[in-house]
Amino acid sequence: MLAKRIVPCLDVKDGTTVKGINFINFRDAGDPVELGAEYSRQGADELVYLDITASHEGRKTFTELVKKVAARINIPFTVGGGVNELSDVERLLNAGADKISVNSAAIRCPELIDRIARNFGSQVCVVAIDADIDGDEWTCYLNGGRVPTERRLFAWASEAADRGAGEILFTSMKHDGVKEGYANEALATLAENLHIPVIASGGAGKKEHFRDAFLLGKADAALAASVFHFGEINIAELKQYLQNEKVAVRQERLTCC
């Protein structure tokens, strides 16, 4: 079994880390650079930084913040929000990011995935999908969960993978921030049908939820925000717990407990 990854996510609005519930009702969670440095010390495997209003407000992602993060941490990190063209990808990679996340722009112009993969490699391209369930169907949303589309989760994830995405980051809008566990059934369907890694997002509230995302949801990585931001779960302790539960984690970053 490949080692599973623990990935803190930092949603950034106006230069501050924020966290909401179901994509609304945001509250301040602290300085994104300092938080990232702390998560790196605790043993996080990767980080994700998302400028959560960039697509909605038509802004470019925060290049200066990316430079500051790159200077402070020694683990890979992904940056997303407002990435619409190859020049955005090049700018963020040059600022120090390891991967680039595309969401709204990829749905509007799927060929963007092909271009990123062709010019920078599939390993750079993370396709993020925000989806909500209505009956039996998962609908994909644009602009930070504000605009529903005709795209359906499983078909869109498959197309993104075929176009050259290196990973799929799936966030269940229904589960986001409520801390009742990940959308494991949908995650398992994605994992079983895709040839690329799947990152689980939305729903972490306790250590058992990470275990279930890996064992039931078959995710390759689990992303979480508030449980880390507000000190509810320590990453090193989480990795020790997962190891005890027979989930393979990266031992070289297991530094305490």
Side-chain angles (χ1 to χ4, degrees):
M1 179 187 296
L2 292 176
K4 305 297 187 179
R5 291 171 284 151
I6 301 299
V7 185
C9 179
L10 298 96
D11 291 340
V12 179
K13 183 177 186 290
D14 302 324
T16 298
T17 308
V18 297
K19 182 54 190 165
I21 298 175
N22 303 131
F23 282 42
I24 58 175
N25 300 323
F26 295 104
R27 59 171 170 155
D28 191 337
D31 180 84
V33 179
E34 294 301 326
L35 283 173
E38 175 59 24
Y39 297 148
S40 179
R41 286 191 291 270
Q42 287 186 22
D45 297 297
E46 299 182 15
L47 300 173
V48 171
Y49 283 87
L50 299 176
D51 187 342
I52 62 171
T53 58
S55 293
H56 177 59
E57 297 175 358
R59 294 181 292 103
K60 295 301 184 183
T61 308
F62 37 10
T63 309
E64 291 306 313
L65 177 62
V66 173
K67 292 179 180 178
K68 292 177 182 178
V69 171
R72 288 291 304 277
I73 70 169
N74 60 1
I75 58 175
F77 69 101
T78 299
V79 175
V83 176
N84 297 301
E85 54 196 17
L86 289 183
S87 61
D88 295 328
V89 177
E90 185 173 19
R91 170 171 50 84
L92 293 167
L93 292 176
N94 288 339
D98 298 278
K99 305 176 189 178
I100 305 302
S101 171
V102 289
N103 189 333
S104 299
I107 290 180
R108 292 191 180 102
C109 179
E111 293 78 10
L112 179 62
I113 301 171
D114 305 72
R115 294 174 194 146
I116 295 172
R118 185 166 58 247
N119 285 273
F120 303 101
S122 291
Q123 78 283 352
V124 163
C125 186
V126 178
V127 172
I129 303 176
D130 300 329
D132 204 359
I133 191 166
D134 182 12
D136 294 328
E137 287 194 321
W138 285 90
T139 298
C140 301
Y141 279 69
L142 297 171
N143 292 16
R146 294 174 178 84
V147 182
T149 73
E150 297 299 317
R151 291 280 189 175
R152 299 295 177 255
L153 169 62
F154 302 119
W156 171 231
S158 180
E159 179 180 340
D162 290 342
R163 286 182 176 276
E167 294 178 282
I168 297 294
L169 196 172
F170 162 53
T171 300
S172 166
M173 294 170 58
K174 177 181 178 181
H175 294 74
D176 179 68
V178 299
K179 301 183 180 180
E180 295 180 356
Y182 294 91
N184 292 319
E185 185 175 344
L187 282 168
T189 299
L190 288 169
E192 290 166 358
N193 289 282
L194 299 179
H195 61 275
I196 60 175
V198 176
I199 305 170
S201 173
K206 54 186 180 179
K207 295 173 185 175
E208 290 83 356
H209 293 155
F210 290 87
R211 176 199 63 197
D212 292 346
F214 294 134
L215 298 182
L216 302 179
K218 303 180 182 179
D220 298 276
L223 179 149
S226 60
V227 293
F228 299 140
H229 299 340
F230 303 117
E232 298 166 36
I233 295 178
N234 176 278
I235 294 169
E237 293 174 359
L238 170 62
K239 295 181 90 171
Q240 185 64 64
Y241 164 81
L242 291 171
Q243 183 183 35
N244 294 341
E245 293 291 311
K246 310 303 181 185
V247 176
V249 293
R250 296 187 177 187
Q251 298 294 325
E252 68 274 13
R253 297 203 59 79
L254 202 56
T255 58
C256 77
C257 313

